[in-house]
Amino acid sequence: MSYPYQINSFEQYKEMYARSVQQPQNFWADIASNFKWRRKWDKVLEWDFNNYNVAWFKGAKLNITENCLDRHLEKLGNKPAIIWEPNSPDEHHRILTYNDLYQKVTQFANVLKNNGVKKGDTICLYMGMIPELAIAVLACARIGAIHSVIFGGFSAKSIADRLVNANAKFIITCDGAFRGGKDIPLKSLIDDALESVDFIEKVIVCTRTRTPVSMLKGRDVWWEDEIKKVETLGMAPAVAEEMDAEDPLFILYTSGSTGKPKGVVHTCAGYMVYTNYTFVNVFNYKQGDVYFCTADIGWITGHSYIVYGPLSAGATTVMFEGIPTYPDAGRFWDLVDKHRVNILYTAPTAIRSLMSYGEEPLKGKDLSTLKVLGSVGEPINEEAWNWYHEKIGKGKCPIVDTWWQTENGGILISNLAGVTPDKPSWATLPLPGVQPCIMDEKGNEIEGPGQGNLCMKFPWPSIIRTTWGDHERCKQTYFAAYPGHYFTGDGAMRDENGNYKITGRVDDVLNVSGHRIGTAEVENAINLHAGVVESAVVGYPHEIKGQGIYAFVIYNGTHNADDENLIRKDITATVTRIIGPISKPDKIQFVTGLPKTRSGKIMRRILRKIAENDVDNLGDTSALLNSEVVEDIKKGKL
Ligand code: WTA
């Protein structure tokens, strides 16, 4: 497979970028013409950022799985599509060629149909990182069902909230998932979620850990039994459903600064074109390269850059079930060595964590196949960048620092490996088709070098279409702060050459180990603890995680009142129960009051400074209703 739209020089990047701004419709139409369509579009783009509405490739008909599978079979049928590496190095890895993947996806698509799943239904996937997760995702897309993958670190309550919001009728899960030394009882968590949800018609359970599970008659079925059924019936491979360009492909929940997580909706055509285009260009993928993205498919990075981007490009994508430090901190490097990985895409938090083990885990590992390194999810600090560059890339591999968000579908700002220059800790230049701008506090655009809030002036093909079931929320969240612009929620700096450096979130969203966490959500969970009166959650710099979660809590319970550590454990258990283990506070400080303005709003700015240990710079506290609490909070700082 060749990529006529692959950019090969800095000069060519500049030309393409200019064309993408001057003639966006022709630019994207040319790229889109390299895909398999059942019917071509009537119009490339329709958009309105004021009354938010966007449509790409309107009128086109396609199925994304024909682009990820069918079209590769003739030439790449025997090429590995997925190389799967299990959690334990003692278990054998699995290789699925494009032929194998096609067979499994079309077969499981039949299983879904046999179980009553129809085009337009939403299906929740709560599985570990096994090939069956990728198969299930693609099987949904094959028949036009909307998948909503939930990361394994979310609680039963979070699952239930998502099932209700997505109005899901079907669930695909596993008995359990192996992650490092742990065995996460996925089906049992689903059972807990279903205590409060009564509209689920079928739960399909795939065997992985052989953890005993309860199977409810009429509702729960085994994946393996269902496969046998379609085999016995001798069903032909499921034909791909014809989808409209703007039919929803998936929903993925993500946290914002207020309220419950929102279901970000991506649609078929634009998402396909953009993830493919960015995969091929950012990583400079060449046929034959082995590509390894260490993300989980429960997050957007896994959707776009383990499944859809690489597979639509006919690439070989490595999928890893485990964690970087199991059984030891050399596991990533074992994988690179064993599978001859050429492109490695991971997160700064993993790099920092592995860095802390020193060079011992690197000994004897052959990393010479590596050509390109990538970073995603949070700002990469220079120390981590340098270690990655020297120790892993041996000074010869470009590092792509890819900035983007769940709502973006694909990478928006990044250098292109070996094509445009890298700059440590800078995401550098926008991809062709992406038109960023920096706004000041008053909503005026800053020209030239400067710093402010990062917005987008023009849509790209995989921009969020809506928040599931609540379009108004989508408009308010992304298009209200700067009318006529998409607001990212991030701050950024721009240098004289047009390079961008992302400075982090400017709203109440934390980035903990590359996971997005809403402070309001964590506060709501803490406040559900019986003894808690009120709480405020902020982030603070954390050496490995990037940011840690710092909670200030007013407690008036009597139970365990003489043992603060016990209360802390109870509060942590409450958060784990309500949201999941990924949102556990790192620090809990008990306080007698929270600094408030006269209108009763918590002054987070002050709490943030205290959590960051920047107590000499609290600024003016005279506007506070209760400035006396600030001294007490400072004294009690953890
Ligand atoms: C942050 C992950 C700096 C940013 C793909 C963004 C980054 C949020 C980078 C989105 C980067 C992501 N440099 N910050 N290269 N990449 N971020 O939705 O704050 O899980 O808004 O998508 O991660 O997180 P999300």
Side-chain angles (χ1 to χ4, degrees):
M1 196 178 181
S2 65
Y3 314 111
Y5 45 88
Q6 190 166 52
I7 299 171
N8 295 307
S9 68
F10 196 13
E11 279 316 304
Q12 199 190 352
Y13 161 80
K14 288 179 202 159
E15 274 166 39
M16 288 298 147
Y17 188 81
R19 178 153 189 261
S20 78
V21 174
Q22 285 148 16
Q23 302 176 30
Q25 311 227 8
N26 293 342
F27 175 83
W28 287 113
D30 285 353
I31 292 162
S33 67
N34 293 284
F35 293 79
K36 188 174 157 85
W37 302 91
R38 295 267 185 98
R39 180 186 189 274
K40 288 253 161 112
W41 49 91
D42 299 316
K43 201 170 173 197
V44 176
L45 170 65
E46 242 177 47
W47 69 293
D48 179 354
F49 272 4
N50 290 307
N51 186 19
Y52 183 57
N53 177 40
V54 82
W56 280 92
F57 309 109
K58 205 169 173 180
K61 303 281 181 196
L62 76 156
N63 187 292
I64 196 167
T65 69
E66 287 189 331
N67 286 277
C68 291
L69 301 170
D70 306 55
R71 70 166 171 158
H72 302 320
L73 297 185
E74 196 185 327
K75 291 208 177 108
L76 305 174
N78 292 319
K79 175 180 172 166
I82 296 178
I83 299 178
W84 175 74
E85 175 71 21
N87 181 57
S88 162
D90 299 332
E91 191 182 338
H92 211 277
H93 67 274
R94 278 168 68 186
I95 295 180
L96 276 79
T97 63
Y98 274 95
N99 283 329
D100 297 335
L101 191 59
Y102 170 82
Q103 188 270 331
K104 292 198 179 298
V105 168
T106 51
Q107 186 180 49
F108 192 67
N110 282 331
V111 165
L112 294 177
K113 284 191 192 169
N114 276 354
N115 280 281
V117 184
K118 299 208 169 45
K119 179 177 179 177
D121 285 342
T122 51
I123 309 193
C124 155
L125 276 57
Y126 188 64
M127 303 170 79
M129 281 286 284
I130 54 175
E132 285 70 19
L133 170 54
I135 292 166
V137 161
L138 292 166
C140 290
R142 186 82 177 170
I143 65 167
I146 304 163
H147 57 78
S148 180
V149 184
I150 302 180
F151 176 64
F154 284 111
S155 69
K157 168 94 173 55
S158 291
I159 298 169
D161 288 348
R162 285 159 172 75
L163 291 173
V164 170
N165 185 274
N167 199 7
K169 283 196 242 155
F170 302 90
I171 296 175
I172 307 171
T173 188
C174 300
D175 46 2
F178 294 126
R179 265 180 77 74
K182 290 193 200 129
D183 170 352
I184 303 160
L186 298 177
K187 173 61 165 66
S188 155
L189 281 150
I190 289 288
D191 289 339
D192 291 348
L194 295 188
E195 296 270 320
S196 63
V197 172
D198 61 3
F199 47 79
I200 297 298
E201 293 175 15
K202 280 280 160 66
V203 180
I204 302 177
V205 186
C206 183
T207 308
R208 173 61 185 138
T209 56
R210 302 197 169 263
T211 311
V213 296
S214 102
M215 295 290 283
L216 200 68
K217 194 177 285 166
R219 189 195 70 188
D220 302 350
V221 294
W222 290 107
W223 174 298
E224 295 77 9
D225 289 348
E226 296 304 298
I227 294 281
K228 279 205 196 96
K229 275 188 207 158
V230 301
E231 273 170 358
T232 316
L233 290 169
M235 291 175 81
V239 174
E241 189 74 33
E242 187 165 288
M243 304 299 288
D244 195 86
E246 284 296 340
D247 277 338
L249 175 64
F250 66 85
I251 308 171
L252 187 59
Y253 285 85
T254 192
S255 295
S257 49
T258 55
K260 290 199 169 168
K262 43 190 175 280
V264 172
V265 176
H266 286 291
T267 57
C268 297
Y271 178 81
M272 169 181 80
V273 170
Y274 196 75
T275 52
N276 175 291
Y277 179 76
T278 49
F279 171 73
V280 164
N281 280 301
V282 171
F283 301 104
N284 196 21
Y285 186 84
K286 304 284 186 216
Q287 255 318 311
D289 284 349
V290 175
Y291 161 88
F292 174 24
C293 167
T294 70
D296 191 291
I297 295 179
W299 306 109
I300 192 69
T301 307
H303 281 64
S304 303
Y305 298 110
I306 294 179
V307 182
Y308 289 113
L311 295 178
S312 68
T316 298
T317 173
V318 177
M319 190 176 166
F320 176 40
E321 183 183 32
I323 57 170
T325 49
Y326 182 84
D328 58 52
R331 192 68 196 281
F332 275 3
W333 323 127
D334 283 332
L335 256 89
V336 170
D337 188 337
K338 177 173 170 190
H339 300 297
R340 318 304 295 149
V341 171
N342 305 111
I343 304 169
L344 174 68
Y345 189 30
T346 193
T349 186
I351 299 167
R352 285 189 300 263
S353 150
L354 295 175
M355 232 168 94
S356 71
Y357 291 86
E359 284 178 49
E360 191 59 31
L362 287 164
K363 284 211 177 111
K365 313 286 158 77
D366 179 4
L367 305 182
S368 63
T369 48
L370 286 174
K371 296 195 296 190
V372 173
L373 302 175
S375 171
V376 61
E378 46 176 324
I380 179 164
N381 48 312
E382 285 202 39
E383 201 191 347
W385 196 99
N386 288 328
W387 189 84
Y388 200 26
H389 190 247
E390 293 307 317
K391 301 293 182 245
I392 306 307
K394 313 293 181 200
K396 68 177 172 65
C397 303
I399 298 179
V400 289
D401 180 355
T402 65
W403 173 85
W404 59 298
Q405 314 175 290
T406 305
E407 297 85 342
N408 306 154
I411 298 163
L412 295 193
I413 304 183
S414 173
N415 48 316
L416 311 182
V419 170
T420 67
D422 53 24
K423 182 169 175 180
S425 86
W426 287 64
T428 74
L429 298 169
L431 270 282
V434 175
Q435 301 187 32
C437 61
I438 294 185
M439 305 296 239
D440 68 17
E441 293 296 316
K442 297 195 188 84
N444 299 315
E445 187 176 340
I446 298 172
E447 305 283 345
Q451 180 165 2
N453 290 344
L454 183 63
C455 291
M456 297 291 152
K457 291 195 225 188
F458 196 84
W460 58 97
S462 62
I463 186 174
I464 180 175
R465 296 305 196 267
T466 189
T467 45
W468 185 259
D470 190 353
H471 192 59
E472 196 50 38
R473 187 165 178 206
C474 176
K475 287 189 200 170
Q476 284 305 322
T477 311
Y478 307 105
F479 299 93
Y482 298 97
H485 294 77
Y486 167 85
F487 175 44
T488 64
D490 278 318
M493 239 152 77
R494 187 172 48 214
D495 72 8
E496 59 289 349
N497 298 319
N499 289 306
Y500 289 85
K501 180 186 174 78
I502 310 300
T503 51
R505 301 288 306 198
V506 294
D507 53 10
D508 293 319
V509 173
L510 307 183
N511 194 326
V512 180
S513 301
H515 299 157
R516 250 168 92 163
I517 295 185
T519 51
E521 249 182 281
V522 182
E523 286 165 8
N524 291 341
I526 293 175
N527 295 349
L528 285 174
H529 182 287
V532 172
V533 179
E534 199 178 7
S535 65
V537 166
V538 297
Y540 71 97
H542 187 288
E543 216 173 307
I544 306 276
K545 298 179 176 185
Q547 271 189 309
I549 303 179
Y550 197 120
F552 296 90
V553 173
I554 306 177
Y555 186 84
N556 80 346
T558 47
H559 186 63
N560 282 340
D562 49 355
D563 188 340
E564 289 197 345
N565 277 333
L566 270 181
I567 309 173
R568 284 195 181 96
K569 283 188 185 150
D570 290 346
I571 291 176
T572 304
T574 311
V575 175
T576 305
R577 171 72 55 173
I578 302 298
I579 309 177
I582 63 163
S583 294
K584 282 196 282 205
D586 297 277
K587 292 183 181 179
I588 298 175
Q589 179 184 344
F590 295 105
V591 296
T592 51
L594 295 166
K596 290 200 174 163
T597 61
R598 288 184 201 281
S599 58
K601 271 180 112 177
I602 298 173
M603 278 271 247
R604 285 161 195 288
R605 181 176 56 79
I606 291 177
L607 295 174
R608 229 175 273 137
K609 293 252 180 206
I610 295 175
E612 284 167 6
N613 240 341
D614 190 11
V615 287
D616 298 330
N617 272 313
L618 293 186
D620 187 8
T621 56
S622 61
L624 288 177
L625 195 63
N626 52 350
S627 54
E628 71 287 351
V629 300
V630 175
E631 281 311 309
D632 285 348
I633 297 176
K634 267 162 63 177
K635 275 190 218 126
K637 156 114 195 18
L638 297 174

